[in-house]
Amino acid sequence: AKDLILIDKVIGCKLAISDDRSSFPTEHEILRLINQVRLGGFSSGKGGILHIHLGALESRIDILLAIVEKYPSLISYLSPTHCSRTQKLFGDCIKFAKVGGMLDISTGGTTFTNPHKAVQIALEEGVPLDNITFSSDGRGGVKREDPVTGEITYKPAPLDLNFKEMVNLVRNNILPLEDALRLITTNPAKNMKIKGKGALKPGHDADIVILNQQLEIDQVISMGVSRLKKI
């Protein structure tokens, strides 16, 4: 599936590959979509990005690796997600990240290991911290199979796991807090080419989450206004 997306600061497109629910796009079709989001970004003054849902089929990201080998300059327009769905897929996504791509780990979807452990593996394999992000797949359908009856059901992916997995990075001594935060702040903003987000500095939006000593959310300030206290 593919849909054009126009958000406040991003223009982009989404599609799926290596998934039995996908439209199985060819390399040429993907290149055409990249061209569309690039032109859309240039003409609108917004970021342009192709968001790519990854399934569990054996083709994995072969098509993306082939594209960036031929056209290295296009890698910043590609944003694959669900990179830790399977161990083999994760290995390919590590290759993608080591040549400059983004490695996005879904905290609320299918994954071969805990998301914070996947980050540790990626770092040990030499992936730059700047090239790793968390995403929640919030409200996306997560498949569940009953081990007794075999019945397949779907439940919405939760929205709070990005924060919880960020905290796990700190509590498991994988990253210090200032680095762990980058996976849900500066790195996503860089990936989506969003200006004014992801950092505390003049000219940026005044969206701030204040934590206590236990790394629990104490207060949320959105657009300079306090929205939440002690949840």
Side-chain angles (χ1 to χ4, degrees):
K2 53 184 181 290
D3 302 288
L4 289 176
I5 306 171
L6 178 60
I7 309 176
D8 180 26
K9 297 181 179 179
V10 182
I11 186 165
C13 180
K14 62 179 181 179
L15 81 160
I17 64 172
S18 295
D19 194 298
D20 53 13
R21 298 165 292 179
S22 77
S23 58
F24 298 94
T26 65
E27 180 179 316
H28 181 69
E29 288 170 331
I30 292 175
L31 287 169
R32 288 175 61 89
L33 289 174
I34 293 172
N35 184 58
Q36 289 180 34
V37 297
R38 288 182 71 188
L39 291 177
F42 291 152
S43 60
S44 65
K46 305 177 186 292
I49 193 163
L50 182 59
H51 189 68
I52 304 166
H53 164 102
L54 302 179
L57 300 182
E58 281 299 310
S59 52
R60 301 194 292 276
I61 62 166
D62 291 352
I63 196 168
L64 301 185
L65 292 172
I67 287 173
V68 299
E69 183 178 1
K70 296 175 185 176
Y71 313 104
S73 63
L74 299 183
I75 198 165
S76 67
Y77 298 96
L78 298 171
S79 179
T81 189
H82 311 312
C83 289
S84 62
R85 186 183 294 278
T86 70
Q87 191 165 6
K88 288 182 178 181
L89 175 63
F90 194 61
D92 281 0
C93 289
I94 284 175
K95 296 176 184 177
F96 181 80
K98 289 175 72 172
V99 295
M102 297 299 293
L103 189 153
D104 183 69
I105 298 167
S106 298
T107 57
T110 304
T111 180
F112 78 96
T113 188
N114 293 328
H116 63 277
K117 292 181 180 179
V119 172
Q120 184 175 25
I121 294 170
L123 292 172
E124 290 173 350
E125 290 291 330
V127 175
L129 180 60
D130 287 346
N131 290 43
I132 307 174
T133 58
F134 277 152
S135 64
S136 69
D137 200 23
R139 312 310 291 172
V142 180
K143 184 178 179 180
R144 293 289 185 268
E145 183 174 350
D146 189 295
V148 178
T149 66
E151 180 185 7
I152 294 176
T153 57
Y154 288 84
K155 62 180 293 185
L159 299 172
D160 60 347
L161 293 182
N162 283 355
F163 177 77
K164 290 181 178 179
E165 286 296 322
M166 184 280 296
V167 171
N168 281 335
L169 286 171
V170 180
R171 290 180 174 165
N172 287 276
N173 298 313
I174 298 171
L175 288 171
L177 178 60
E178 61 269 25
D179 287 339
L181 283 168
R182 289 159 63 180
L183 275 74
I184 57 175
T185 56
T186 55
N187 291 2
K190 167 193 167 186
N191 181 38
M192 300 297 291
K193 304 181 177 72
I194 300 177
K195 298 178 181 179
K197 295 284 189 182
L200 294 177
K201 60 173 62 176
H204 279 49
D205 294 345
D207 298 334
I208 305 168
V209 178
I210 300 174
L211 309 181
N212 60 24
Q213 292 296 320
Q214 290 72 45
L215 300 184
E216 300 167 330
I217 296 176
D218 183 76
Q219 189 174 353
V220 174
I221 299 173
S222 175
M223 300 176 68
V225 178
S226 180
R227 307 288 183 180
L228 180 68
K229 292 184 178 180
K230 295 185 183 302
I231 64 170

